Amino acid sequence: MEIPAKNRIYSLDLLRGLVMIVMALDHTRDFLHFDAYVHDPLDLQTTSVYLYFTRWITNYCAPVFVFLAGTSVFLQSLRKSKEVLSTFLFKRGLWLMIVEIVVVTFAWTFDYTFPVIVLGVIWAIGVSLFLMGFIIRLPFYAILVSGLAIVVGHNIFDYIDSTHSGFAWDLIRNGHFAQHTLLPGLDVLIVYPILPWLGLMMVGYGFGKLYTPDYTPVQRKKVLLISGSLLIAFFIILRMTNSYGNPTPWSVQNSGLFTLLSFLDVFKYPPSLLYLCITIGPALIFLALFENTNNKLTKVLSIYGRVPFLYYILHLYLIHAVCAVIFVSNGHSLSDPAANIFGIPTYFMVVGEGVSLSVVYVIWILIVAALYPCCKWFSEYKKKKGYWWLSYL
């Protein structure tokens, strides 16, 4: 979700750009690391600290992006009537759903027959934006309180046996790579369920009020610091109890460091309450500390945050293309059958074959750098032209 360039808030672009860059690290690891899909990088029995934090740090990407999408909706509500904004959200949401089903699914698989449709983060954002087209007609505090209730309360379903849950329930709340057959020869893989991500977007909508004249920069910084610190403290206290907010408990390990890793390992599919606390909390503190930071580095980072949709699409295709080059260089043929990754036929990948984590980092940096000129050009183009259709890109 983007807002017109002339109305953009620099610190939000900076944070969005930072998480978009980090996101590319996770996807580079997914496609290229030799241990991807062999072992879970968060499995304490098989991982290393280096690999664990390479995966764990990318936890910030999806929740921050969805949260800020809600903030963007609120900021647009200050400039548009509810009717105009509602119509835009319906169209934008439908557009993102189509992009996920066609463009993003193909980026992951490179399979033009589309035997499996992947419903990932772009799908969840699209559905949430579409529903926000109705929700924005509610009073402000009704949206905020309802969003908080969803975020805080949806883990109650952890206590309900969902082993045999159906398609609708997996789509709404469970996700977690549930695979269902829609038609003969056509499956759907549900990675991101709708409900918890919609709740987070609604909370992000409420957060947008901090960027209105009702709050001075000093007041906003104070609220951000307090809110972020309280979320982190809440995470620590609730996580220590092993009672609620995450479906899997932490446990004492052979070392203090690995006990900490167990403590930090919270559920993303679907995003648990504790997962959202430990990701959104630090993000709010970041916004407080870097609101007035403007230097060469932050200017570069913010470029990626100004054109996140373009960057997201391009980075997936570029990473998969690099994967194909490595695949061929290892002696494979382009006509080799696809590997089965989480039930997805994915071309140019062999499970257990890839590069070291150090090389993953090098390729990640090169890919992010390679996309910068295009992102910068498109950011300037959007700023200068202002065509209506650019708001969908």
Side-chain angles (χ1 to χ4, degrees):
M1 186 68 184
E2 302 175 56
I3 57 178
K6 65 180 180 180
N7 298 306
R8 304 191 75 93
I9 298 172
Y10 182 76
S11 59
L12 301 185
D13 280 336
L14 176 59
L15 176 59
R16 189 185 292 110
L18 181 60
V19 300
M20 295 298 286
I21 290 172
V22 172
M23 172 195 65
L25 172 60
D26 192 41
H27 293 157
T28 305
R29 181 194 59 78
D30 276 336
F31 276 107
L32 302 178
H33 188 225
F34 66 82
D35 202 42
Y37 311 111
V38 176
H39 298 110
D40 182 352
L42 300 179
D43 184 348
L44 300 184
Q45 305 304 313
T46 58
T47 193
S48 66
V49 174
Y50 188 23
L51 178 59
Y52 179 96
F53 279 109
T54 297
R55 174 66 182 98
W56 188 87
I57 193 64
T58 62
N59 279 334
Y60 286 91
C61 305
V64 169
F65 194 75
V66 173
F67 183 82
L68 293 182
T71 302
S72 179
V73 172
F74 178 85
L75 295 175
Q76 292 210 44
S77 73
L78 302 178
R79 306 184 301 274
K80 299 177 180 178
S81 68
K82 290 188 182 297
E83 289 73 19
V84 171
L85 180 56
S86 180
T87 299
F88 172 74
L89 292 175
F90 291 148
K91 293 178 180 178
R92 174 71 167 172
L94 285 171
W95 164 243
L96 290 180
M97 285 184 260
I98 294 171
V99 167
E100 178 73 70
I101 292 171
V102 179
V103 181
V104 177
T105 292
F106 184 75
W108 281 108
T109 67
F110 275 7
D111 188 336
Y112 64 89
T113 65
F114 289 90
V116 178
I117 294 172
V118 182
L119 302 184
V121 66
I122 299 299
W123 161 268
I125 293 173
V127 175
S128 296
L129 288 176
F130 183 87
L131 295 175
M132 287 295 291
F134 298 102
I135 292 170
I136 59 168
R137 298 179 180 274
L138 299 173
F140 171 82
Y141 285 106
I143 297 174
L144 177 58
V145 171
S146 297
L148 287 170
I150 293 172
V151 169
V152 174
H154 83 92
N155 278 115
I156 194 69
F157 297 114
D158 294 339
Y159 301 96
I160 300 174
D161 182 13
S162 59
T163 305
H164 305 291
S165 60
F167 172 78
W169 188 236
D170 285 333
L171 188 67
I172 293 170
R173 195 271 169 179
N174 281 350
H176 197 52
F177 297 88
Q179 189 162 349
H180 295 270
T181 299
L182 295 181
L183 298 168
L186 177 61
D187 284 9
V188 60
L189 189 74
I190 305 170
V191 183
Y192 283 71
I194 298 168
L195 183 64
W197 295 107
L198 173 62
L200 181 62
M201 186 177 288
M202 293 165 69
V203 175
Y205 177 92
F207 162 81
K209 194 173 182 64
L210 289 177
Y211 290 89
T212 65
D214 293 345
Y215 292 85
T216 66
V218 173
Q219 290 173 324
R220 177 166 56 250
K221 182 176 182 178
K222 182 178 180 180
V223 172
L224 288 171
L225 286 173
I226 293 175
S227 300
S229 299
L230 287 175
L231 283 175
I232 295 172
F234 181 73
F235 165 82
I236 294 172
I237 294 170
L238 187 58
R239 183 62 167 154
M240 288 178 65
T241 67
N242 262 340
S243 60
Y244 180 78
N246 200 72
T248 55
W250 65 277
S251 60
V252 176
Q253 303 295 310
N254 293 329
S255 69
L257 177 56
F258 270 71
T259 297
L260 175 63
L261 300 188
S262 176
F263 191 84
L264 293 174
D265 185 15
V266 284
F267 222 61
K268 180 180 180 180
Y269 306 104
S272 69
L273 168 61
L274 290 175
Y275 170 87
L276 295 177
C277 286
I278 198 56
T279 52
I280 299 302
L284 297 183
I285 293 176
F286 178 93
L287 288 174
L289 297 179
F290 288 89
E291 179 164 342
N292 298 316
T293 303
N294 192 338
N295 53 46
K296 290 183 179 179
L297 177 59
T298 59
K299 286 179 180 178
V300 170
L301 295 178
S302 66
I303 289 295
Y304 297 99
R306 295 169 74 92
V307 290
F309 179 77
L310 175 73
Y311 171 86
Y312 183 87
I313 299 299
L314 291 181
H315 98 283
L316 283 179
Y317 277 89
L318 183 54
I319 294 171
H320 204 158
V322 171
C323 182
V325 171
I326 294 175
F327 179 84
V328 173
S329 69
N330 285 335
H332 299 291
S333 168
L334 293 178
S335 61
D336 284 357
N340 191 284
I341 310 294
F342 289 141
I344 312 171
T346 305
Y347 281 90
F348 313 130
M349 290 182 69
V350 177
V351 174
E353 182 176 289
V355 299
S356 68
L357 197 56
S358 298
V359 176
V360 166
Y361 270 82
V362 172
I363 295 174
W364 164 59
I365 293 171
L366 292 175
I367 284 173
V368 171
L371 290 175
Y372 178 76
C374 181
C375 291
K376 185 177 181 181
W377 170 82
F378 191 60
S379 175
E380 293 299 321
Y381 182 82
K382 292 181 70 174
K383 187 189 302 183
K384 292 177 182 178
K385 299 301 181 179
Y387 297 132
W388 66 269
W389 52 269
L390 289 173
S391 62
Y392 291 86
L393 300 176

